[in-house]
Amino acid sequence: MRVYLPATTSVLRTLVDAGRLAGPHTAFAVTPGLREFYAVSDAGADGEELEYAALLAAARASLRLIDIDPTAARRRVVVAADVPDAAVSDVEDPGADRGAVRVTADIALRDVASAHIDGTDAEEDVRAAVAVVLEADLGSDEAQFVVDQAEGHELAWYASQEIGTLLELL
């Protein structure tokens, strides 16, 4: 199953240096709950659009991780990885984001399909969003506007073999 793991540049460094990220992990995937939501809100959504929705949910969660990692670059990071279906279960919390899953397995660098990372042009907006993402989660319209500014930036795609070089350039 393809999962989208919210991360930071510090997490990417660990992945490259150690060759794996020890489980368990909270990630995002195309789950029955996500499919059901889009069946109602956008009946024409195909598999690719559902994958993109899971990626965006992971990017939002990355903001929360950056908030608690002062050493991380102010760029959202999402790791797309393929893990065994048996290692993935839905998060059974009604307050959890649609598509949230629990991954019990380690995620090895060889399992990573790609990394998705903000460019330098997003850093100022991400920095501002990190400061208010929890307020946005609690319903603040003003904070949500700031988070929307960061989420308006497209994440750049990198193949797994490019991650080490990318980190050197940050």
Side-chain angles (χ1 to χ4, degrees):
M1 171 180 278
R2 172 71 46 95
V3 298
Y4 297 91
L5 179 69
T8 66
T9 53
S10 301
V11 170
L12 276 185
R13 174 55 54 204
T14 299
L15 176 62
V16 169
D17 291 350
R20 67 187 336 86
L21 296 171
H25 306 279
T26 298
F28 297 84
V30 178
T31 62
L34 188 68
R35 285 184 194 282
E36 181 181 311
F37 175 77
Y38 277 92
V40 172
S41 66
D42 184 4
D46 62 14
E48 190 173 305
E49 290 171 303
L50 295 173
E51 294 270 341
Y52 188 65
L55 173 94
L56 292 179
R60 162 79 60 115
S62 175
L63 290 172
R64 297 179 195 110
L65 295 176
I66 294 167
D67 183 39
I68 60 172
D69 184 354
T71 64
R74 289 346 207 190
R75 299 185 191 195
R76 296 170 300 155
V77 176
V78 176
V79 175
D82 296 315
V83 298
D85 290 353
V88 180
S89 60
D90 288 349
V91 172
E92 299 294 332
D93 180 348
D97 289 325
R98 289 175 191 85
V101 295
R102 194 75 175 147
V103 179
T104 56
D106 291 356
I107 295 178
L109 186 55
R110 71 175 177 275
D111 301 327
V112 173
S114 57
H116 305 263
I117 305 167
D118 275 316
T120 57
D121 61 320
E123 286 181 340
E124 185 177 322
D125 289 334
V126 169
R127 184 174 286 106
V130 165
V132 299
V133 68
L134 296 179
E135 292 173 48
D137 290 345
L138 295 172
S140 167
D141 290 337
E142 289 176 19
Q144 184 60 51
F145 179 79
V146 174
V147 171
D148 289 345
Q149 295 299 111
E151 291 179 339
H153 294 274
E154 287 293 323
L155 298 170
W157 179 93
Y158 296 91
S160 59
Q161 60 270 29
E162 297 175 306
I163 297 171
T165 302
L166 170 68
L167 289 170
E168 291 173 17
L169 298 173
L170 293 178

